[in-house]
Amino acid sequence: MNPLTCIITDDEPLAVKLLESFVTKTPDLQLLGSYTDSVEAVAAIKEKQPNLLFLDIQMPDINGMELAHMVPQETRIIFTTAFQEYAFESYEVSALDFLLKPIRYGKFLAAVEKARQWFGLTAAAEAAASAENTQQQQGPTESQPAAQTVFLKVDGEYRQVAFSDILYVSGMKDYVMFYIEGERKPLITHMTMKAAEELLPASLFMRVNRSYIVALNKIRSVDRNDCLYIGNEIIRVTDAYKEAFAQYMQTKTCN
């Protein structure tokens, strides 16, 4: 994977210097610029399109939360602030992480590693989708078998999981839990639900609400309230996903 690029935006020069020193000693992390002025930062971010933005929240002119809404979708945000009360709000703009000042290098490094995982998984999902599209255009061949497994980073190591063993996936903030058939505890990894949705084949899995993706062939029953029974879990199909699920059910139901 190529080095991650980043921009630092903080109105405190000492905070900028500290983050610059952290970037300098972090392998495969490239600094594209540092800005104490939020207006200048917006222009630089749009021009340079970094992978990561280390962003303070309390700044003059444009505060961090406002600036976050101006950042291109491809740039992921790691907030840096002295105010813990902003933590919940940071997840509303899909921040990758939230670093509380004074920032220690270990916490900084962990946030960068989380970003590496996010970009790695996103790239893998895009590559898999591209390969699937190519295979569909060319037709099935013996040399292009469909992927049957996925590697998940769990507790510092990569665990290979067969798609056929996954019951459902549940998301909470920046963590995703994969529930595996025959295992008591889920596999927990740093990932967004969007990345998980892109990683799992659409022919086998479907998102049915904001927090759940289900394995379609693991659904035991569906009740009149659009509740799905999978393993020991009851999962509700919410309004935003009912139409797509109803279309799937039409293809599987004999009237």
Side-chain angles (χ1 to χ4, degrees):
M1 182 177 173
N2 294 329
L4 292 180
T5 57
C6 68
I7 279 178
I8 297 168
T9 303
D10 195 312
D11 66 326
E12 299 177 8
L14 289 177
V16 170
K17 290 295 183 185
L18 177 65
L19 290 174
E20 285 177 342
S21 70
F22 287 171
V23 172
T24 298
K25 62 182 181 180
T26 302
D28 296 325
L29 185 60
Q30 178 185 354
L31 182 63
L32 300 182
S34 300
Y35 301 88
T36 55
D37 183 284
S38 55
V39 177
E40 291 181 1
V42 171
I45 293 161
K46 291 182 178 179
E47 177 188 353
K48 299 180 180 181
Q49 297 186 351
N51 298 124
L52 292 177
L53 172 61
F54 294 96
L55 177 61
D56 187 24
I57 293 179
Q58 284 205 330
M59 294 188 299
D61 297 324
I62 304 173
N63 68 41
M65 288 299 172
E66 293 170 334
L67 195 153
H69 290 285
M70 305 177 188
V71 173
Q73 188 175 0
E74 294 76 17
T75 297
R76 309 307 298 177
I77 297 169
I78 296 176
F79 279 115
T80 59
T81 181
F83 302 93
Q84 191 169 5
E85 59 265 29
Y86 289 113
F88 179 77
E89 193 175 352
S90 71
Y91 290 110
E92 295 295 309
V93 293
S94 301
L96 273 183
D97 212 339
F98 181 93
L99 297 177
L100 192 62
K101 296 179 181 178
I103 301 170
R104 297 175 180 269
Y105 181 60
K107 295 287 188 181
F108 176 89
L109 199 59
V112 172
E113 177 59 25
K114 185 185 295 185
R116 275 192 228 286
Q117 292 179 30
W118 190 92
F119 280 103
L121 289 166
T122 301
E126 290 174 352
S130 176
E132 185 177 352
N133 289 337
T134 301
Q135 184 174 352
Q136 288 175 351
Q137 292 171 3
Q138 295 177 349
T141 65
E142 292 184 1
S143 60
Q144 294 178 316
Q148 302 295 320
T149 63
V150 63
F151 280 93
L152 302 175
K153 190 169 186 180
V154 181
D155 295 331
E157 63 180 19
Y158 286 94
R159 167 88 178 269
Q160 185 171 207
V161 177
F163 290 134
S164 59
D165 289 339
I166 299 172
L167 291 169
Y168 59 90
V169 176
S170 174
M172 184 178 65
K173 292 184 178 180
D174 53 348
Y175 291 93
V176 171
M177 293 169 281
F178 286 76
Y179 288 82
I180 310 301
E181 197 165 27
E183 297 195 17
R184 294 176 58 188
K185 295 182 179 181
L187 303 180
I188 303 175
T189 187
H190 286 295
M191 188 189 302
T192 64
M193 282 294 284
K194 185 178 184 298
E197 190 174 11
E198 293 172 348
L199 193 65
L200 299 169
S203 59
L204 302 177
F205 297 87
M206 180 177 291
R207 191 165 183 173
V208 295
N209 65 47
R210 185 178 180 182
S211 301
Y212 283 90
I213 299 169
V214 302
L216 294 168
N217 68 340
K218 303 296 184 182
I219 299 173
R220 297 198 317 273
S221 61
V222 183
D223 68 19
R224 66 182 66 185
N225 296 315
D226 292 314
C227 290
L228 313 181
Y229 293 75
I230 301 178
N232 296 321
E233 189 75 6
I234 302 173
I235 301 170
R236 180 83 179 269
V237 182
T238 55
D239 291 343
Y241 301 90
K242 280 185 178 180
E243 184 177 352
F245 186 73
Q247 291 176 357
Y248 165 77
M249 288 296 291
Q250 287 178 358
T251 67
K252 298 294 183 179
T253 304
C254 295
N255 294 324

